[in-house]
Amino acid sequence: MYNIISIAALLHDIGKVGQRSFDGDSGLSPSAKSLEEYLRPFNEVQNHRTHKHVLYTYEFCERIVNSLPDGINSSDLANLASYHHRPTDNPQRIIQEADKLSSAMERDSEGDRDTYRRFRKILLTPILSQVRTGKENNDNKNYKYYL
């Protein structure tokens, strides 16, 4: 279980790339679209569903079935990674908590809590660019790229 939670946590926001790459639902399969009411929270104030990226996360996980390590089931991975905004069990809640901590860090560093309005223009930072090995590395490279 540890391995699949780790992989799901790493991939839980991969759908943000898909959401930025396609217009509307054009990059989603019918099976991913059918999960909208289960995966996406509903904002009653604005009267619409939020967090469309979870559908693209699900789509991505289903498409990489042949690339997964032995012992990792693509459906289990898709469910763990995609339900982080509407968790139904403890492993999904672990990923939800990690997502909250991570997004709070991004907002604090960006200084902008109103980024959802212009999400397609905000560059994504690869998580591995944040990993420190203990050696001083002052290369100051910008690892953000436009689509």
Side-chain angles (χ1 to χ4, degrees):
M1 184 57 103
Y2 176 80
N3 289 339
I4 196 165
I5 289 174
S6 298
I7 294 170
L10 183 64
L11 296 176
H12 79 278
D13 275 346
I14 192 71
K16 289 182 177 183
V17 176
Q19 184 181 7
R20 286 164 170 82
S21 301
F22 295 97
D23 287 329
D25 295 341
S26 63
L28 296 172
S29 66
S31 64
K33 289 179 194 178
S34 73
L35 295 171
E36 184 167 26
E37 70 179 280
Y38 303 104
L39 297 177
R40 295 181 66 194
F42 188 80
N43 182 322
E44 293 184 21
V45 174
Q46 296 178 351
N47 198 33
H48 76 282
R49 293 204 177 273
T50 62
H51 300 88
K52 184 177 245 180
H53 72 276
V54 297
L55 298 176
Y56 284 97
T57 294
Y58 182 88
E59 184 74 29
F60 177 84
C61 291
E62 287 295 317
R63 289 183 182 217
I64 63 166
V65 64
N66 294 326
S67 302
L68 293 173
D70 290 339
I72 301 295
N73 179 288
S74 67
S75 292
D76 292 343
L77 176 64
N79 287 332
L80 277 171
S82 301
Y83 275 89
H84 65 278
H85 289 291
R86 295 191 72 194
T88 59
D89 60 28
N90 285 334
Q92 292 169 355
R93 285 184 191 93
I94 290 170
I95 295 168
Q96 179 188 45
E97 185 63 24
D99 181 52
K100 285 179 182 178
L101 292 169
S102 173
S103 63
M105 180 185 75
E106 288 173 358
R107 284 188 190 107
D108 287 345
S109 66
E110 296 284 329
D112 184 0
R113 295 189 177 272
D114 198 26
T115 58
Y116 66 91
R117 291 185 184 158
R118 51 191 178 84
F119 76 93
R120 288 186 191 271
K121 295 181 191 252
I122 295 172
L123 302 177
L124 300 175
T125 303
I127 189 66
L128 294 177
S129 71
Q130 304 298 311
V131 174
R132 301 293 177 248
T133 62
K135 297 178 182 178
E136 287 297 319
N137 185 0
N138 295 326
D139 62 9
N140 294 323
K141 291 184 181 177
N142 185 358
Y143 292 98
K144 296 179 180 182
Y145 297 97
Y146 291 98
L147 284 175

